[in-house]
């Protein structure tokens, strides 16, 4: 183990991939070979270290990101295993927000899958350097080349292949290391014993390995100037090992290339070289640019370096409720040192807190520690107000700075929930509040019309897990309504709308006159407010005309417009992709206030939305179905004919057909059961949110009529 203050020897990494690509299995092997666990858990047996929740073990999937720490070659690896299911994408989002590097795991048979694209985009957004591990090389139909080509064409990545497989499918025994030109073969079932032998001219893979090494040198030279200089002078064979490794590291950290390794985690082959690659190519906190924060006092930019002598700066990225300790707040420390009993300031919420305990986390096991320093991750006990995305500094720091938070995905589906007995209602409210604190992508609101409690999330499975957790952890039996789609509303045509507001409130006249225009925008463009009232112009020798509206009145109109956009005229869903233009206005001195203009804007816009051809928007999902050839026709007919889907393409894969389609979420409710029964359980599917699209007019009328109970 290295000293905790040796920041150069720290690697903060995540394991990310599509569901069932082998992330958790890979993580279990990492823990075994680094000596953290003494037995390899298996997902199919429900006994893995990282999938410790009952729901994870029962379903064989990762639901919540689990953190642990292990050591390899004198380096400390803080590792987070993230879920692959789209319903739990917030777990990947918040993990990538605080990590310095990631291992992307690919299925060697399936290649780049839909959720792989999603997590790859998330990593791109946070500029997280990655290496790739092509898993399941022992499976029928496995191929490294196809996955590498898909990385180029689908992910627009620049792969730098550092290993090629020795044998394919059932004949896979190991890999050829193209840097050292050695064959690595695993000789026992547990994967602890392996041999390294030079790939000489007599070796059957010699010619292929020489060509592959030349390709590796060229791919590194394309994105690293120092490697290119030597390559041009001495050719591929003249680039020495140390320079090539340094070039790979520079290219990876700069996000210009992705080192590609291969193996089979389930058969215990390829994990030790993967750990070497984590140490050799992924960055330490010192390799990352300084963290940019903003001063709360004046919004000025502040840079903090990963050093223990800097002021404390930490980000809360996860909250977990522990039945014995209360809320555990996971913190990534970017600079300085946080110690037990420190008084801290939550800058985001302007709250003072005290750290009662600090815990080194290993999945669901905890070890108390005295301090956590720059570059490391730990859980704090005793923080009552801090939640996901909050910035923490020492209470004694004069400079209060704040870090950017997280991008939280909007809910796409909701269900009504109530306690089975009135006596349990308070316990249910408490449990729902706790779930919201743990999971920012899960929201709860009370419907103003029906009085029902509505919970909203990322998909059916997401809400199903929440309900299951409430039953098991809070011991509250509930009644849950059918899943309902989270629609959005917009306008179909531009509309100019004059509004005159003249009321008497509390014996005082409230007057406002404004002219608003609502204009539809492109899908996904969002809402905007534009003030088109010209500023008064002073002509030479003339007095300056008074403005048509005062600044506080214009601000009030903007606030009123924001209020009106939260509730559309059709079914009360938020209004999106609309531009509100303030074109004219007038006020009466003494009778007009900001309150009157805010009310005028809210009421006027609600009338305008009614008249501007209101349209309902529905979430459309990108769906990928894997089905046997015999059932392909039925699956396609069902998607297109019964579910209003559009097939984007079809591709054969290991005896199956992979059908890519876009389908409205409303038609996918209950699809898992329907697909199983139609294909005798032989087909499977994945889906993730793609975009919002207009509901066809006949369908819109049907939805509105049914919802309003006509």
């Amino acid at each position: 183990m290295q000293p905790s203050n040796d920041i150069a020897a720290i690697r903060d990494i995540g394991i990310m991939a599509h569901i069932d690509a082998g992330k958790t299995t890979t993580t279990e092997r990492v823990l075994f070979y680094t000596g953290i666990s003494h037995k390899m858990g298996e997902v199919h047996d429900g006994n893995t270290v990282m999938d410790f929740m009952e729901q994870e073990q029962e379903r064989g999937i990762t639901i919540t990101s689990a953190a642990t720490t292990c050591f390899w070659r004198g380096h400390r690896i803080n590792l987070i295993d993230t879920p692959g299911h789209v319903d739990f994408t917030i777990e990947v989002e918040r993990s990538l927000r605080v990590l310095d590097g990631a291992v992307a795991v690919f299925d060697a048979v399936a290649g780049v899958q839909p959720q792989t694209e999603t997590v790859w985009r998330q990593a791109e957004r946070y500029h997280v350097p990655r290496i790739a591990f092509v898993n399941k090389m022992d499976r029928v139909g496995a191929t490294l080349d196809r996955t590498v080509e898909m990385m180029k064409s689908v992910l627009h990545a620049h792969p730098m292949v550092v290993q090629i497989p020795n044998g394919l499918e059932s004949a896979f025994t190991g890999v050829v290391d193209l840097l050292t030109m050695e064959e690595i073969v695993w000789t026992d079932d547990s994967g602890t014993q392996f041999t390294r032998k030079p790939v000489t001219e007599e070796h059957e893979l010699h010619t292929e390995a020489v060509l592959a090494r030349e390709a590796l040198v060229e791919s590194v030279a394309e994105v690293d100037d120092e490697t290119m200089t030597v390559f041009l002078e001495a050719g591929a064979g003249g680039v020495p090992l140390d320079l090539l490794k340094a070039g790979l590291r520079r290219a990876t950290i700069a996000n210009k290339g992705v080192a590609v390794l291969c193996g089979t985690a389930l058969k215990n082959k390829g994990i030790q070289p993967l750990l070497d690659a984590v140490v050799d190519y992924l960055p330490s906190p010192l390799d990352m640019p300084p963290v940019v924060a903003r001063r709360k006092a004046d919004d000025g930019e502040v840079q903090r370096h990963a050093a223990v002598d800097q002021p404390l700066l930490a980000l809360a990225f996860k909250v977990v409720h522990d039945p014995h300790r209360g809320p555990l707040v996971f913190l990534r420390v970017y600079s300085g040192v946080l110690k037990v009993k420190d008084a801290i300031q939550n800058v985001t919420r302007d709250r003072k807190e005290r750290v009662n305990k600090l815990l080194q986390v290993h999945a669901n096991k905890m070890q108390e520690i005295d301090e956590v320093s720059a570059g490391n991750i730990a859980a704090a006990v005793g923080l009552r107000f801090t939640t996901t995305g909050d910035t923490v500094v020492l209470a004694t720091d004069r400079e209060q700075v704040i870090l950017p938070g997280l991008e939280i995905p909007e809910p796409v589906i909701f269900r009504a929930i109530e306690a089975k007995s009135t006596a349990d209602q308070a316990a249910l409210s408490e449990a729902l509040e706790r779930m919201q604190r743990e999971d920012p992508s899960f929201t709860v609101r009370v419907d103003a019309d029906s009085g029902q409690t509505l919970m909203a999330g990322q998909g059916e499975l997401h809400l199903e897990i929440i309900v299951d957790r409430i039953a098991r952890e809070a011991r509250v039996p509930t009644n849950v309504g059918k899943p309902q789609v989270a629609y959005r509303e917009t306008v179909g045509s531009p509309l100019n709308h004059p509004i005159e507001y003249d009321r008497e409130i509390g014996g005082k006249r409230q007057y406002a006159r404004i002219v608003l225009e609502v204009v539809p925008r492109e899908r996904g463009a969002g809402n905007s407010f534009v003030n088109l009232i010209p500023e008064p112009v002073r002509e030479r020798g003339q007095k300056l005309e008074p403005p048509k509206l005062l600044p506080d009145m214009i601000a009030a109109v903007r606030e009123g417009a924001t209020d009106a956009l939260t509730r559309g005229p059709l079914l009360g869903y938020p209004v999106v992709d609309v531009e509100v233009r303030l074109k004219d206005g007038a006020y009466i001195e003494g009778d007009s206030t900001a309150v009157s203009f805010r009310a005028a804007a809210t009421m006027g816009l609600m009338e305008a939305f009614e008249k501007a051809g209101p349209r309902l928007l529905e979430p459309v999902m990108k769906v990928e179905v894997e089905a046997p050839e015999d059932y392909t026709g039925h699956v396609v007919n069902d998607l297109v004919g019964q579910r209003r889907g559009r097939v984007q393409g079809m591709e054969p894969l290991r005896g199956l057909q992979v059908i890519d389609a876009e389908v409205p979420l409303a038609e996918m409710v209950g699809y898992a059961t329907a697909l199983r029964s139609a294909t005798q359980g032989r087909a499977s599917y994945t889906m993730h949110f793609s975009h919002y699209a207009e509901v066809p007019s006949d369908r819109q009328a049907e939805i509105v009529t049914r919802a309003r109970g006509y």
Side-chain angles (χ1 to χ4, degrees):
M1 295 187 185
Q2 72 354 292
S4 62
N5 288 348
D6 186 2
I7 299 174
I10 295 173
R11 301 289 183 271
D12 292 319
I13 69 164
I15 310 282
M16 63 182 203
H18 184 89
I19 190 170
D20 203 32
K23 296 178 305 304
T24 301
T25 304
T26 302
T27 307
E28 289 295 314
R29 272 54 184 173
V30 166
L31 297 181
F32 179 74
Y33 297 127
T34 56
I36 296 298
S37 57
H38 304 291
K39 179 178 180 295
M40 287 182 278
E42 303 293 355
V43 173
H44 53 267
D45 291 337
N47 62 357
T48 60
V49 172
M50 302 302 270
D51 285 353
F52 54 83
M53 288 173 62
E54 292 177 18
Q55 293 88 345
E56 292 176 316
Q57 293 169 354
E58 290 168 359
R59 289 171 168 81
I61 61 170
T62 302
I63 292 169
T64 182
S65 52
T68 191
T69 298
C70 56
F71 298 88
W72 186 255
R73 281 174 38 196
H75 288 69
R76 179 194 187 103
I77 301 174
N78 298 317
L79 184 150
I80 298 179
D81 175 30
T82 65
H85 197 287
V86 66
D87 284 18
F88 311 107
T89 188
I90 183 63
E91 293 291 335
V92 184
E93 183 83 23
R94 59 176 158 200
S95 299
L96 289 173
R97 171 66 183 81
V98 297
L99 294 173
D100 297 331
V103 177
V105 180
F106 295 81
D107 183 325
V109 181
V112 175
Q113 296 168 280
Q115 187 63 6
T116 315
E117 292 181 61
T118 302
V119 297
W120 196 268
R121 283 197 303 271
Q122 288 172 304
E124 289 281 345
R125 187 163 63 247
Y126 292 118
H127 308 292
V128 177
R130 279 140 281 166
I131 59 177
F133 180 63
V134 182
N135 192 27
K136 303 189 179 184
M137 291 301 300
D138 59 314
R139 295 270 303 278
V140 175
T143 163
L144 178 64
D145 293 343
R146 178 174 177 272
T147 303
V148 170
E149 286 306 312
M150 288 182 77
M151 288 176 68
K152 293 177 185 175
S153 61
V154 180
L155 302 178
H156 307 294
H158 181 74
M160 303 176 292
V161 181
V162 299
Q163 295 176 349
I164 58 173
N166 187 353
L168 285 173
E169 300 178 351
S170 60
F172 178 77
T173 58
V175 298
V176 172
D177 184 336
L178 299 176
L179 286 99
T180 61
M181 289 298 281
E182 290 178 315
E183 173 191 54
I184 307 174
V185 176
W186 279 264
T187 54
D188 69 330
D189 290 341
S190 69
T192 53
Q193 304 295 320
F194 57 92
T195 60
R196 279 181 172 267
K197 295 178 183 175
V199 177
T200 59
E201 290 186 6
E202 294 75 33
H203 197 288
E204 58 182 354
L205 290 174
H206 180 264
T207 303
E208 183 183 344
V210 169
L211 293 173
R213 191 182 196 280
E214 288 176 1
L216 168 62
V217 174
E218 287 180 24
S219 65
V220 176
E222 282 179 39
V223 291
D224 182 67
D225 291 342
E226 289 184 43
T227 308
M228 175 62 83
T229 302
V230 177
F231 172 65
L232 292 175
E233 291 174 356
V239 178
L241 173 62
D242 58 347
L243 178 66
L244 187 56
K245 286 183 78 169
L248 271 162
R249 181 174 178 79
R250 283 190 297 270
T252 303
I253 292 172
N255 265 312
K256 292 180 178 178
V258 180
V260 180
L261 299 89
C262 59
T264 165
L266 188 64
K267 297 295 177 63
N268 311 317
K269 295 178 174 69
I271 304 302
Q272 293 93 337
L274 176 62
L275 282 163
D276 288 336
V278 166
V279 167
D280 291 338
Y281 309 131
L282 289 179
S284 77
L286 294 179
D287 294 312
M288 301 301 287
V291 174
V292 177
R294 297 213 166 265
R295 268 191 305 270
K296 198 162 185 181
D298 59 6
D299 205 37
E301 195 173 279
V302 176
Q303 290 190 347
R304 291 282 171 84
H305 297 266
V308 294
D309 57 357
Q310 292 252 309
L312 173 71
L313 179 61
L315 184 76
F317 67 95
K318 184 179 172 70
V319 179
V320 174
H321 184 81
D322 185 286
H324 306 295
R325 299 183 179 95
L328 303 181
V329 179
F330 285 67
L331 297 166
R332 160 72 195 264
V333 179
Y334 286 100
S335 64
V337 180
L338 178 63
K339 297 179 180 178
V340 174
K341 302 302 179 186
D342 272 348
I344 60 171
Q345 176 77 16
N346 181 329
V347 187
T348 310
R349 300 182 188 279
D350 198 19
R351 290 274 201 166
K352 282 189 168 55
E353 305 237 48
R354 186 171 293 278
V355 177
N356 294 335
K357 289 180 183 178
L358 284 172
L359 304 172
Q360 183 69 63
V361 181
H362 175 50
N364 63 336
K365 295 183 175 66
M366 313 283 171
Q367 177 187 346
E368 287 195 30
I369 54 177
D370 295 327
E371 63 179 48
V372 54
S373 57
N376 281 306
I377 291 169
V381 179
L383 307 186
R384 294 183 298 149
F385 306 109
T386 304
T387 189
T388 301
D390 289 356
T391 301
V392 166
V393 301
L394 286 179
T396 52
D397 285 352
R398 284 183 297 174
E399 198 169 45
Q400 304 283 293
V401 299
I402 191 164
L403 289 162
L406 281 79
E407 218 172 273
I408 309 297
E410 286 288 318
V412 295
I413 197 164
F414 65 92
R415 303 178 80 166
I417 185 170
E418 63 181 18
K420 285 191 174 178
S421 73
T422 312
D424 287 330
Q425 191 58 47
L428 174 61
S429 298
E430 188 181 314
L432 289 170
E433 188 178 327
R434 198 179 79 217
M435 295 295 171
Q436 283 186 94
R437 190 177 179 198
E438 288 190 16
D439 183 354
S441 69
F442 171 71
T443 61
V444 178
R445 67 180 175 88
V446 176
D447 185 78
D449 297 330
S450 65
Q452 284 183 308
T453 300
L454 302 176
M455 55 177 189
Q458 303 303 305
E460 285 184 85
L461 180 61
H462 187 196
L463 297 184
E464 186 184 312
I465 295 292
I466 294 280
V467 173
D468 190 29
R469 287 188 61 194
I470 289 171
R472 294 192 197 202
E473 296 170 22
R475 304 190 188 283
V476 178
T478 58
N479 293 321
V480 182
K482 290 182 179 177
Q484 298 177 63
V485 173
Y487 292 101
R488 295 288 182 268
E489 299 184 28
T490 191
V491 296
S493 55
L495 179 77
N496 213 56
H497 192 60
I499 305 132
E500 189 166 43
Y501 180 86
D502 195 351
R503 301 279 174 89
E504 190 172 302
I505 300 174
K508 188 179 185 310
R509 187 186 184 196
Q510 294 282 352
Y511 178 84
R513 189 180 72 78
I514 51 176
V515 178
L516 296 176
E517 184 180 20
V518 294
V519 180
R521 303 182 77 195
E522 288 184 7
R523 288 291 79 80
N527 295 326
S528 70
F529 177 86
V530 182
N531 174 25
L532 297 180
I533 297 178
E535 291 284 332
V537 178
R538 185 202 302 265
E539 297 290 342
R540 181 174 292 181
Q542 293 183 346
K543 285 177 63 177
L544 183 67
E545 289 291 320
K548 289 192 171 184
L549 291 183
L550 300 175
D552 64 326
M553 295 171 180
I554 294 170
V557 173
R558 182 191 295 270
E559 290 173 11
T562 303
D563 288 346
L565 289 164
T566 61
R567 192 170 176 83
L570 292 172
L571 296 176
Y573 290 100
V575 178
V576 297
D577 302 338
V578 170
E579 182 166 285
V580 178
R581 298 171 180 171
L582 173 59
K583 301 183 75 175
D584 199 3
Y587 67 96
I588 298 173
E589 193 95 36
D591 289 341
S592 297
T593 63
V595 173
S596 57
F597 277 92
R598 179 169 180 157
T602 303
M603 293 172 62
L605 275 178
M606 291 174 83
E607 294 169 7
F609 294 154
E610 286 270 16
K611 297 175 181 176
R615 303 295 307 160
L616 204 59
L617 302 176
E618 61 183 348
V620 175
M621 312 302 284
K622 185 174 173 59
V623 180
E624 185 180 86
V625 184
E626 291 185 8
E629 294 273 3
D630 300 350
Y631 296 100
T632 304
H634 176 85
V635 170
V636 170
N637 289 338
D638 178 58
L639 289 173
V640 176
Q642 304 298 318
R643 302 182 187 275
R644 298 189 287 125
R646 289 190 307 165
V647 172
Q648 308 288 95
M650 293 173 61
E651 186 181 351
L653 176 68
R654 59 175 192 273
L656 301 170
Q657 280 288 339
V658 180
I659 303 155
D660 283 317
E662 288 185 348
V663 189
L665 176 61
E667 310 298 343
M668 293 300 292
V669 174
Y671 184 62
T673 305
L675 183 66
R676 275 198 301 269
S677 61
T679 61
Q680 298 180 358
R682 295 171 62 197
S684 62
Y685 82 101
T686 58
M687 70 175 182
H688 65 272
F689 173 76
S690 175
H691 61 279
Y692 272 92
E694 275 193 27
V695 177
S697 54
D698 56 335
R699 178 77 176 156
Q700 174 173 312
E702 181 187 324
I703 293 168
V704 172
T705 301
R706 187 171 65 242
R708 290 177 176 175
Y710 295 161

